[in-house]
Amino acid sequence: MKNDIRKSLVPLCSNKYVIAVVVFVLWLFLLAEDNIRTRYTLSASVDALTEQREQLKAEIEEDYRKMDELRNVETLEKFAREEYYMKSPNEVVFIVK
């Protein structure tokens, strides 16, 4: 069995075209500047950046919505009271947590 495999591999290993193809494939996948590992890491980083971009777009839309809401005087007053604990001059504010 081993001899059969060895007999079939010897002509392949001595063929200069097979050796050239093997060397080219090894160079292409392992040694080249733009190899498979580099492409995989770059693809992963592109996917992560695309996801981050979508999250930031959603945050920007939410901020624009909040800015539009705060143009109204009542909502601006409500925001100031809830977020910054501001009060009118004749009020007393109790903060319960």
Side-chain angles (χ1 to χ4, degrees):
M1 180 89 172
K2 283 187 176 182
N3 289 335
D4 293 338
I5 295 173
R6 212 177 273 166
K7 285 181 183 179
S8 64
L9 287 179
V10 168
L12 286 177
C13 292
S14 62
N15 188 345
K16 63 182 177 182
Y17 298 111
V18 172
I19 294 172
V21 167
V22 168
V23 168
F24 177 73
V25 168
L26 285 175
W27 176 76
L28 185 65
F29 286 110
L30 301 175
L31 303 174
E33 183 178 322
D34 194 21
N35 59 21
I36 297 297
R37 182 174 34 116
T38 305
R39 284 189 174 267
Y40 177 74
T41 56
L42 290 176
S43 175
S45 65
V46 165
D47 292 341
L49 289 173
T50 303
E51 183 177 323
Q52 182 182 7
R53 179 180 167 204
E54 295 302 321
Q55 290 174 350
L56 291 175
K57 278 185 178 180
E59 287 180 22
I60 288 171
E61 289 176 7
E62 180 67 23
D63 289 342
Y64 277 130
R65 188 188 59 75
K66 284 182 182 179
M67 284 174 47
D68 287 339
E69 285 180 1
L70 291 177
R71 291 177 201 246
N72 188 357
V73 175
E74 290 95 24
T75 56
L76 182 61
E77 184 178 335
K78 179 182 175 188
F79 178 77
R81 288 175 187 267
E82 291 176 356
E83 296 294 322
Y84 296 107
Y85 306 115
M86 294 184 172
K87 64 180 184 81
S88 296
N90 58 356
E91 288 182 334
V92 176
V93 176
F94 295 100
I95 301 172
V96 180
K97 290 187 178 186

XYZ file of all heavy atoms in Angstrom:
810
model
N 0.826 -1.192 0.000
C 0.000 0.000 0.000
C 0.872 1.257 0.000
O 0.636 2.162 -0.786
C -0.914 -0.047 1.235
C -1.806 1.117 1.359
S -3.304 0.772 0.492
C -4.254 2.135 0.958
N 1.862 1.309 0.910
C 2.750 2.466 0.962
C 3.563 2.578 -0.320
O 3.821 3.667 -0.802
C 3.689 2.374 2.163
C 3.061 2.716 3.463
C 4.109 2.760 4.533
C 3.507 3.199 5.845
N 4.514 3.294 6.892
N 3.954 1.445 -0.837
C 4.746 1.459 -2.067
C 3.922 1.976 -3.243
O 4.454 2.650 -4.125
C 5.301 0.073 -2.381
C 6.405 -0.325 -1.396
O 7.038 0.548 -0.819
N 6.602 -1.611 -1.216
N 2.645 1.649 -3.274
C 1.785 2.140 -4.348
C 1.673 3.667 -4.306
O 1.731 4.333 -5.347
C 0.395 1.511 -4.252
C 0.408 0.007 -4.531
O 1.362 -0.459 -5.188
O -0.535 -0.665 -4.088
N 1.485 4.198 -3.108
C 1.382 5.648 -2.953
C 2.700 6.302 -3.315
O 2.749 7.309 -4.016
C 0.955 6.011 -1.510
C -0.452 5.489 -1.238
C 1.022 7.514 -1.279
C -0.893 5.635 0.186
N 3.784 5.710 -2.845
C 5.105 6.259 -3.127
C 5.402 6.229 -4.625
O 5.955 7.172 -5.166
C 6.143 5.443 -2.356
C 7.319 6.278 -1.926
C 8.293 5.487 -1.110
N 7.883 5.540 0.288
C 8.362 4.731 1.212
N 9.229 3.794 0.909
N 7.977 4.849 2.456
N 5.005 5.157 -5.279
C 5.242 5.047 -6.718
C 4.427 6.064 -7.510
O 4.855 6.547 -8.551
C 4.915 3.634 -7.203
C 5.946 2.607 -6.823
C 5.566 1.244 -7.354
C 6.573 0.197 -6.896
N 6.214 -1.141 -7.371
N 3.247 6.425 -7.018
C 2.426 7.402 -7.735
C 2.863 8.838 -7.426
O 2.641 9.740 -8.238
C 0.952 7.215 -7.402
O 0.740 7.470 -6.039
N 3.493 9.080 -6.278
C 3.931 10.425 -5.921
C 5.296 10.784 -6.498
O 5.565 11.960 -6.722
C 3.967 10.592 -4.401
C 2.627 10.689 -3.699
C 2.808 10.822 -2.210
C 1.814 11.845 -4.234
N 6.137 9.813 -6.724
C 7.483 10.092 -7.229
C 7.444 10.798 -8.582
O 8.140 11.806 -8.770
C 8.338 8.795 -7.264
C 9.622 9.002 -8.039
C 8.614 8.323 -5.859
N 6.643 10.357 -9.541
C 6.612 11.096 -10.813
C 6.057 12.517 -10.655
O 6.490 13.436 -11.347
C 5.704 10.261 -11.712
C 5.644 8.922 -11.108
C 5.895 9.106 -9.652
N 5.116 12.685 -9.739
C 4.561 14.023 -9.521
C 5.595 14.946 -8.905
O 5.683 16.124 -9.259
C 3.317 13.957 -8.637
C 2.047 13.418 -9.280
C 0.928 13.356 -8.250
C 1.628 14.283 -10.438
N 6.355 14.456 -7.950
C 7.338 15.285 -7.262
C 8.515 15.637 -8.164
O 9.202 16.625 -7.932
C 7.845 14.580 -6.014
S 6.580 14.421 -4.760
N 8.771 14.845 -9.152
C 9.892 15.138 -10.031
C 9.474 15.966 -11.245
O 10.328 16.427 -11.987
C 10.536 13.824 -10.506
O 9.610 13.074 -11.252
N 8.201 16.191 -11.427
C 7.713 16.981 -12.547
C 7.900 18.465 -12.216
O 7.434 18.968 -11.191
C 6.243 16.662 -12.796
C 5.722 17.293 -14.059
O 6.339 18.186 -14.615
N 4.583 16.803 -14.503
N 8.576 19.209 -13.080
C 8.890 20.605 -12.797
C 7.640 21.491 -12.795
O 7.586 22.493 -12.092
C 9.920 21.133 -13.786
C 9.480 21.149 -15.222
C 10.594 21.645 -16.115
C 10.134 21.579 -17.569
N 11.212 22.015 -18.464
N 6.624 21.125 -13.533
C 5.391 21.911 -13.561
C 4.611 21.758 -12.254
O 4.047 22.736 -11.741
C 4.522 21.513 -14.751
C 5.197 21.784 -16.070
C 5.623 20.742 -16.878
C 5.427 23.086 -16.483
C 6.262 20.997 -18.077
C 6.058 23.349 -17.677
C 6.482 22.299 -18.483
O 7.108 22.560 -19.654
N 4.581 20.561 -11.719
C 3.908 20.327 -10.435
C 4.634 21.077 -9.341
O 4.003 21.713 -8.480
C 3.827 18.814 -10.132
C 3.314 18.572 -8.724
C 2.961 18.107 -11.156
N 5.957 21.039 -9.357
C 6.734 21.767 -8.350
C 6.488 23.270 -8.473
O 6.300 23.963 -7.463
C 8.236 21.430 -8.500
C 8.471 19.963 -8.151
C 9.088 22.334 -7.620
C 9.864 19.473 -8.449
N 6.444 23.766 -9.678
C 6.198 25.196 -9.893
C 4.812 25.600 -9.398
O 4.650 26.651 -8.764
C 6.355 25.534 -11.365
N 3.823 24.777 -9.667
C 2.459 25.081 -9.209
C 2.386 25.044 -7.684
O 1.769 25.912 -7.059
C 1.444 24.104 -9.848
C 0.095 24.190 -9.164
C 1.310 24.384 -11.333
N 3.024 24.063 -7.059
C 3.009 23.962 -5.593
C 3.698 25.166 -4.973
O 3.196 25.760 -4.007
C 3.657 22.631 -5.139
C 3.912 22.630 -3.647
C 2.784 21.458 -5.539
N 4.848 25.544 -5.521
C 5.559 26.712 -5.004
C 4.712 27.969 -5.193
O 4.613 28.808 -4.292
C 6.940 26.849 -5.686
C 7.570 28.200 -5.394
C 7.851 25.721 -5.261
N 4.083 28.121 -6.338
C 3.245 29.288 -6.588
C 2.067 29.345 -5.617
O 1.743 30.415 -5.079
C 2.740 29.274 -8.030
C 1.816 30.400 -8.344
C 2.302 31.690 -8.473
C 0.456 30.183 -8.495
C 1.453 32.747 -8.756
C -0.400 31.221 -8.769
C 0.097 32.513 -8.913
N 1.426 28.221 -5.390
C 0.278 28.184 -4.464
C 0.734 28.500 -3.042
O 0.068 29.262 -2.325
C -0.440 26.816 -4.548
C -1.426 26.640 -3.423
C -1.131 26.679 -5.892
N 1.858 27.941 -2.623
C 2.371 28.257 -1.288
C 2.710 29.739 -1.174
O 2.403 30.377 -0.164
C 3.601 27.402 -0.973
C 3.329 25.950 -0.640
C 4.641 25.201 -0.464
C 2.486 25.840 0.609
N 3.345 30.277 -2.201
C 3.675 31.691 -2.170
C 2.408 32.540 -2.141
O 2.327 33.515 -1.401
C 4.513 32.041 -3.404
C 4.809 33.494 -3.495
C 5.718 34.208 -2.774
C 4.166 34.436 -4.348
N 5.688 35.518 -3.134
C 4.744 35.697 -4.109
C 3.166 34.332 -5.303
C 4.341 36.835 -4.778
C 2.772 35.463 -5.976
C 3.359 36.702 -5.709
N 1.426 32.162 -2.911
C 0.190 32.919 -3.004
C -0.569 32.923 -1.681
O -1.071 33.956 -1.237
C -0.694 32.345 -4.118
C -1.974 33.096 -4.441
C -1.631 34.459 -5.004
C -2.790 32.303 -5.427
N -0.650 31.784 -1.029
C -1.456 31.672 0.185
C -0.704 32.021 1.462
O -1.323 32.395 2.454
C -2.041 30.266 0.321
C -3.162 30.010 -0.631
C -3.013 29.129 -1.688
C -4.369 30.659 -0.496
C -4.045 28.892 -2.571
C -5.405 30.441 -1.377
C -5.241 29.556 -2.419
N 0.604 31.901 1.478
C 1.333 32.099 2.722
C 2.305 33.268 2.712
O 2.432 33.971 3.712
C 2.103 30.815 3.078
C 1.250 29.561 3.266
C 2.134 28.363 3.490
C 0.280 29.735 4.398
N 2.998 33.493 1.638
C 4.107 34.430 1.652
C 3.816 35.771 0.998
O 4.518 36.740 1.259
C 5.332 33.792 0.969
C 5.791 32.469 1.579
C 6.900 31.872 0.746
C 6.228 32.657 3.006
N 2.844 35.852 0.171
C 2.564 37.104 -0.547
C 2.070 38.175 0.420
O 1.551 37.886 1.497
C 1.525 36.864 -1.632
N 2.233 39.423 0.027
C 1.804 40.533 0.871
C 0.284 40.534 1.056
O -0.229 40.888 2.101
C 2.255 41.842 0.233
C 1.929 43.056 1.056
C 2.444 44.317 0.413
O 3.543 44.285 -0.162
O 1.735 45.318 0.494
N -0.428 40.123 0.048
C -1.891 40.106 0.082
C -2.364 38.647 0.191
O -3.089 38.155 -0.663
C -2.433 40.768 -1.185
C -3.896 41.079 -1.066
O -4.395 41.167 0.067
O -4.552 41.231 -2.109
N -1.968 37.974 1.273
C -2.292 36.552 1.403
C -3.669 36.353 2.041
O -4.374 37.309 2.358
C -1.205 35.827 2.195
C -1.024 36.395 3.581
O -1.900 37.040 4.109
N 0.138 36.165 4.161
N -4.020 35.110 2.220
C -5.350 34.754 2.736
C -5.561 35.284 4.149
O -6.636 35.807 4.477
C -5.543 33.221 2.697
C -5.492 32.717 1.272
C -6.834 32.805 3.376
C -6.593 33.256 0.402
N -4.545 35.191 4.997
C -4.672 35.648 6.378
C -4.920 37.160 6.423
O -5.786 37.632 7.167
C -3.409 35.294 7.157
C -3.458 35.680 8.611
C -2.234 35.181 9.357
N -1.053 35.184 8.523
C 0.030 35.936 8.739
N 0.065 36.746 9.769
N 1.065 35.872 7.935
N -4.195 37.897 5.614
C -4.377 39.343 5.563
C -5.765 39.694 5.052
O -6.434 40.576 5.600
C -3.312 39.982 4.655
O -2.030 39.583 5.106
C -3.417 41.481 4.663
N -6.209 39.013 4.029
C -7.555 39.263 3.504
C -8.630 38.963 4.550
O -9.613 39.681 4.660
C -7.811 38.439 2.254
C -7.124 38.977 1.049
C -7.614 38.244 -0.187
N -7.061 38.836 -1.374
C -7.669 39.774 -2.083
N -8.849 40.204 -1.708
N -7.105 40.273 -3.153
N -8.441 37.907 5.325
C -9.420 37.550 6.351
C -9.475 38.619 7.436
O -10.555 39.041 7.854
C -9.075 36.185 6.952
C -10.003 35.785 8.059
C -11.306 35.357 7.788
C -9.615 35.848 9.384
C -12.170 35.006 8.797
C -10.470 35.495 10.404
C -11.747 35.075 10.109
O -12.592 34.734 11.119
N -8.309 39.071 7.913
C -8.312 40.088 8.963
C -8.875 41.411 8.451
O -9.614 42.090 9.179
C -6.902 40.304 9.523
O -6.015 40.635 8.461
C -6.397 39.068 10.245
N -8.553 41.763 7.216
C -9.110 42.996 6.657
C -10.615 42.902 6.465
O -11.344 43.861 6.712
C -8.427 43.339 5.338
C -6.977 43.805 5.438
C -6.396 44.007 4.050
C -6.866 45.064 6.257
N -11.085 41.739 6.057
C -12.522 41.545 5.892
C -13.239 41.637 7.240
O -14.317 42.239 7.336
C -12.788 40.191 5.244
O -14.159 39.938 5.183
N -12.634 41.071 8.270
C -13.232 41.147 9.601
C -13.268 42.589 10.101
O -14.267 43.022 10.697
C -12.457 40.264 10.576
N -12.214 43.341 9.849
C -12.214 44.725 10.305
C -13.209 45.573 9.499
O -13.835 46.478 10.054
C -10.811 45.326 10.223
O -10.388 45.415 8.892
N -13.377 45.278 8.220
C -14.375 45.994 7.420
C -15.777 45.709 7.955
O -16.610 46.615 8.066
C -14.255 45.617 5.928
C -15.482 46.041 5.148
C -13.007 46.231 5.333
N -16.041 44.459 8.304
C -17.351 44.115 8.860
C -17.591 44.839 10.183
O -18.689 45.353 10.430
C -17.462 42.604 9.062
C -17.500 41.849 7.748
O -17.795 42.473 6.708
O -17.226 40.628 7.764
N -16.570 44.897 11.042
C -16.717 45.577 12.329
C -16.941 47.074 12.125
O -17.781 47.683 12.805
C -15.482 45.338 13.192
N -16.213 47.672 11.191
C -16.381 49.097 10.934
C -17.739 49.408 10.308
O -18.337 50.448 10.600
C -15.257 49.602 10.036
C -13.883 49.685 10.694
C -12.820 50.022 9.656
C -13.878 50.697 11.814
N -18.235 48.511 9.479
C -19.563 48.701 8.889
C -20.637 48.656 9.976
O -21.563 49.476 9.984
C -19.829 47.626 7.831
O -18.802 47.679 6.852
C -21.175 47.834 7.166
N -20.491 47.725 10.896
C -21.447 47.632 12.005
C -21.376 48.879 12.881
O -22.406 49.427 13.284
C -21.144 46.383 12.835
C -22.114 46.149 13.952
C -21.815 44.853 14.692
O -21.426 43.871 14.044
O -21.981 44.852 15.922
N -20.163 49.348 13.151
C -19.997 50.559 13.956
C -20.597 51.765 13.242
O -21.218 52.631 13.868
C -18.521 50.796 14.236
C -18.251 52.002 15.106
C -16.769 52.233 15.314
O -15.927 51.578 14.707
N -16.461 53.176 16.167
N -20.440 51.815 11.931
C -21.001 52.912 11.146
C -22.519 52.942 11.259
O -23.124 54.010 11.423
C -20.578 52.749 9.697
C -21.110 53.790 8.781
C -20.614 53.527 7.383
N -21.343 54.327 6.426
C -21.484 54.024 5.169
N -20.930 52.952 4.676
N -22.172 54.790 4.371
N -23.147 51.780 11.183
C -24.606 51.717 11.306
C -25.062 52.155 12.694
O -26.069 52.854 12.833
C -25.101 50.299 11.005
C -24.853 49.861 9.578
C -25.499 50.770 8.558
O -26.641 51.228 8.792
O -24.856 51.046 7.528
N -24.322 51.763 13.734
C -24.675 52.181 15.092
C -24.546 53.686 15.244
O -25.401 54.337 15.852
C -23.775 51.475 16.114
C -24.049 50.007 16.259
C -23.047 49.321 17.179
O -22.040 49.905 17.565
N -23.316 48.073 17.513
N -23.476 54.252 14.686
C -23.293 55.698 14.785
C -24.352 56.457 13.997
O -24.807 57.522 14.436
C -21.890 56.074 14.302
C -20.745 55.613 15.210
C -19.409 55.928 14.565
C -20.851 56.251 16.574
N -24.766 55.920 12.861
C -25.859 56.547 12.113
C -27.134 56.569 12.939
O -27.867 57.564 12.950
C -26.106 55.807 10.798
C -25.181 56.195 9.694
C -25.597 55.495 8.409
C -24.729 55.890 7.248
N -25.136 55.223 6.000
N -27.417 55.465 13.628
C -28.613 55.407 14.470
C -28.520 56.416 15.612
O -29.505 57.085 15.952
C -28.797 53.995 15.013
N -27.333 56.545 16.209
C -27.159 57.520 17.284
C -27.333 58.948 16.760
O -27.925 59.787 17.446
C -25.778 57.378 17.916
C -25.624 56.158 18.783
C -24.235 56.060 19.384
O -23.536 57.097 19.478
O -23.851 54.951 19.767
N -26.826 59.220 15.581
C -26.967 60.558 14.999
C -28.443 60.870 14.743
O -28.914 61.976 15.043
C -26.141 60.670 13.704
C -24.659 60.715 14.044
C -26.548 61.893 12.897
C -23.746 60.612 12.840
N -29.183 59.910 14.215
C -30.613 60.121 13.984
C -31.345 60.367 15.300
O -32.233 61.239 15.369
C -31.202 58.921 13.260
C -30.770 58.810 11.819
C -31.284 57.555 11.143
O -32.093 56.829 11.765
O -30.866 57.295 9.998
N -30.980 59.631 16.345
C -31.594 59.825 17.663
C -31.266 61.218 18.203
O -32.123 61.899 18.770
C -31.107 58.750 18.636
C -31.660 58.852 20.025
C -33.147 58.569 20.090
O -33.683 57.900 19.192
O -33.789 59.033 21.064
N -30.041 61.669 18.019
C -29.656 63.003 18.484
C -30.402 64.099 17.724
O -30.826 65.091 18.323
C -28.145 63.210 18.340
C -27.361 62.373 19.345
O -27.955 61.918 20.336
O -26.141 62.186 19.118
N -30.569 63.924 16.409
C -31.350 64.898 15.651
C -32.802 64.933 16.121
O -33.415 66.004 16.210
C -31.301 64.590 14.153
C -30.073 65.136 13.462
C -29.310 64.320 12.645
C -29.691 66.465 13.616
C -28.182 64.806 12.003
C -28.580 66.960 12.983
C -27.822 66.137 12.170
O -26.714 66.630 11.545
N -33.345 63.766 16.443
C -34.724 63.713 16.940
C -34.833 64.453 18.276
O -35.759 65.232 18.503
C -35.171 62.267 17.099
C -36.658 62.122 17.425
C -37.013 60.689 17.768
N -36.294 60.165 18.898
C -36.543 60.472 20.186
N -37.498 61.326 20.473
N -35.842 59.947 21.154
N -33.842 64.237 19.147
C -33.856 64.935 20.439
C -33.700 66.434 20.263
O -34.343 67.223 20.977
C -32.739 64.404 21.329
C -33.020 63.062 21.936
C -31.886 62.620 22.845
C -32.138 61.256 23.425
N -31.019 60.811 24.293
N -32.856 66.848 19.327
C -32.685 68.278 19.077
C -33.985 68.904 18.590
O -34.336 70.014 19.005
C -31.572 68.502 18.049
C -30.192 68.324 18.606
S -28.872 68.417 17.392
C -29.262 69.848 16.454
N -34.704 68.197 17.729
C -35.989 68.715 17.247
C -36.994 68.818 18.390
O -37.789 69.765 18.446
C -36.538 67.831 16.130
C -35.777 68.011 14.833
O -35.113 69.055 14.670
O -35.837 67.092 13.982
N -36.966 67.854 19.298
C -37.885 67.908 20.438
C -37.551 69.074 21.363
O -38.445 69.706 21.934
C -37.813 66.598 21.241
C -38.502 65.437 20.594
C -38.397 64.180 21.427
O -37.807 64.219 22.527
O -38.904 63.150 20.971
N -36.269 69.370 21.524
C -35.865 70.418 22.462
C -36.093 71.823 21.915
O -35.895 72.797 22.628
C -34.398 70.241 22.850
C -34.100 69.011 23.703
C -32.618 68.900 23.970
C -34.872 69.061 25.000
N -36.522 71.954 20.707
C -36.848 73.283 20.170
C -38.137 73.817 20.794
O -38.362 75.023 20.811
C -36.969 73.227 18.657
C -35.627 72.987 18.025
C -35.732 72.858 16.537
N -34.557 72.146 16.057
C -33.637 72.671 15.290
N -33.750 73.899 14.890
N -32.607 71.962 14.903
N -38.958 72.926 21.310
C -40.187 73.318 21.984
C -39.839 73.719 23.426
O -39.061 73.058 24.096
C -41.162 72.142 21.965
C -42.526 72.525 22.469
O -42.756 73.650 22.895
N -43.430 71.565 22.425
N -40.447 74.812 23.919
C -40.113 75.343 25.242
C -40.500 74.360 26.350
O -39.739 74.162 27.302
C -40.812 76.709 25.452
C -40.577 77.222 26.853
C -40.327 77.702 24.432
N -41.649 73.712 26.232
C -42.093 72.796 27.286
C -41.160 71.588 27.404
O -40.818 71.163 28.503
C -43.521 72.306 27.043
C -44.589 73.368 27.236
C -44.960 74.033 25.928
O -44.763 73.418 24.871
O -45.435 75.172 25.978
N -40.783 71.039 26.270
C -39.891 69.874 26.335
C -38.491 70.277 26.787
O -37.816 69.509 27.468
C -39.809 69.162 24.972
O -39.393 70.089 23.975
C -41.135 68.538 24.603
N -38.053 71.491 26.448
C -36.757 71.966 26.917
C -36.767 72.126 28.433
O -35.805 71.751 29.116
C -36.405 73.288 26.233
C -35.056 73.897 26.575
C -33.942 72.946 26.169
C -34.889 75.230 25.879
N -37.848 72.649 28.962
C -37.978 72.808 30.411
C -38.009 71.439 31.098
O -37.345 71.230 32.112
C -39.243 73.590 30.737
C -39.423 73.885 32.205
C -40.665 74.715 32.456
O -41.109 75.443 31.554
O -41.184 74.609 33.582
N -38.743 70.520 30.527
C -38.810 69.162 31.090
C -37.428 68.504 31.070
O -37.009 67.886 32.050
C -39.803 68.322 30.291
C -39.923 66.909 30.769
C -40.888 66.120 29.907
C -40.910 64.674 30.314
N -41.671 63.842 29.422
N -36.712 68.672 29.976
C -35.371 68.098 29.869
C -34.447 68.704 30.926
O -33.672 67.997 31.578
C -34.826 68.347 28.458
C -33.436 67.848 28.248
C -33.193 66.500 28.050
C -32.360 68.721 28.255
C -31.905 66.033 27.856
C -31.072 68.265 28.068
C -30.834 66.916 27.870
N -34.486 70.017 31.092
C -33.628 70.687 32.072
C -33.952 70.217 33.486
O -33.050 70.010 34.315
C -33.782 72.190 31.960
N -35.221 70.026 33.786
C -35.602 69.557 35.124
C -35.144 68.117 35.371
O -34.645 67.802 36.438
C -37.119 69.631 35.295
C -37.652 71.015 35.431
C -39.183 70.973 35.475
N -39.744 72.295 35.447
C -40.046 72.990 36.528
N -39.822 72.479 37.710
N -40.565 74.191 36.417
N -35.313 67.242 34.370
C -34.993 65.823 34.567
C -33.497 65.542 34.512
O -32.991 64.749 35.300
C -35.714 64.977 33.515
C -37.199 64.931 33.699
C -37.907 64.182 32.595
O -37.231 63.750 31.631
O -39.138 64.040 32.681
N -32.801 66.172 33.606
C -31.389 65.844 33.405
C -30.451 66.677 34.275
O -29.426 66.174 34.732
C -31.012 66.016 31.926
C -31.730 65.068 31.000
C -31.352 63.615 31.223
O -30.160 63.350 31.485
O -32.251 62.762 31.135
N -30.766 67.940 34.458
C -29.849 68.837 35.149
C -30.411 69.365 36.468
O -29.787 70.225 37.098
C -29.467 70.003 34.229
C -28.716 69.531 33.019
C -29.324 69.513 31.774
C -27.414 69.069 33.123
C -28.641 69.064 30.654
C -26.728 68.616 32.013
C -27.349 68.621 30.781
O -26.670 68.169 29.690
N -31.561 68.876 36.901
C -32.188 69.218 38.180
C -32.356 70.727 38.358
O -32.155 71.275 39.425
C -31.381 68.637 39.346
C -31.143 67.155 39.214
C -29.864 66.646 39.056
C -32.209 66.257 39.224
C -29.637 65.289 38.929
C -32.001 64.902 39.096
C -30.709 64.424 38.942
O -30.489 63.083 38.820
N -32.719 71.403 37.285
C -32.972 72.836 37.354
C -34.380 73.065 37.884
O -35.223 72.188 37.821
C -32.797 73.468 35.984
C -31.397 73.426 35.486
S -31.269 74.303 33.926
C -29.522 74.286 33.708
N -34.592 74.277 38.417
C -35.887 74.584 39.010
C -36.222 76.041 38.770
O -35.363 76.845 38.427
C -35.878 74.280 40.497
C -34.907 75.129 41.282
C -34.947 74.789 42.757
C -34.042 75.705 43.545
N -34.616 76.988 43.838
N -37.491 76.351 38.971
C -37.931 77.743 38.912
C -37.537 78.424 40.216
O -37.296 77.763 41.228
C -39.446 77.812 38.731
O -39.794 77.242 37.486
N -37.494 79.747 40.228
C -37.074 80.451 41.455
C -37.940 80.187 42.679
O -37.464 80.226 43.803
C -37.141 81.927 41.077
C -37.082 81.952 39.599
C -37.667 80.663 39.127
N -39.220 79.893 42.513
C -40.107 79.710 43.652
C -40.371 78.223 43.944
O -41.351 77.909 44.610
C -41.414 80.454 43.417
C -42.113 79.987 42.148
O -41.571 79.162 41.406
N -43.302 80.503 41.904
N -39.536 77.328 43.494
C -39.749 75.886 43.686
C -38.672 75.309 44.591
O -37.576 75.819 44.709
C -39.680 75.133 42.352
C -40.844 75.358 41.445
C -40.700 74.534 40.173
O -39.578 74.203 39.777
O -41.752 74.250 39.569
N -39.042 74.180 45.188
C -38.078 73.380 45.945
C -38.062 72.013 45.279
O -39.098 71.398 45.019
C -38.489 73.250 47.420
C -37.528 72.347 48.170
C -38.582 74.618 48.059
N -36.868 71.500 44.998
C -36.734 70.231 44.294
C -36.234 69.190 45.261
O -35.253 69.387 45.991
C -35.752 70.373 43.105
C -35.549 69.022 42.427
C -36.245 71.393 42.117
N -36.938 68.054 45.310
C -36.518 66.903 46.085
C -36.121 65.793 45.134
O -36.902 65.405 44.252
C -37.669 66.402 46.989
C -38.061 67.389 48.038
C -39.176 68.191 47.854
C -37.301 67.516 49.187
C -39.548 69.116 48.812
C -37.671 68.425 50.150
C -38.784 69.235 49.973
N -34.919 65.275 45.285
C -34.429 64.207 44.414
C -34.524 62.907 45.193
O -33.919 62.735 46.237
C -32.979 64.468 43.978
C -32.909 65.798 43.246
C -32.465 63.321 43.132
C -31.503 66.242 42.933
N -35.324 61.984 44.659
C -35.524 60.682 45.288
C -34.907 59.642 44.376
O -35.258 59.546 43.210
C -37.026 60.406 45.516
C -37.206 59.045 46.164
C -37.646 61.500 46.344
N -34.011 58.847 44.929
C -33.380 57.796 44.119
C -33.673 56.441 44.679
O -33.858 56.215 45.809
C -31.867 58.004 44.052
C -31.500 59.199 43.231
C -30.005 59.255 43.046
C -29.659 60.448 42.168
N -28.269 60.497 41.819
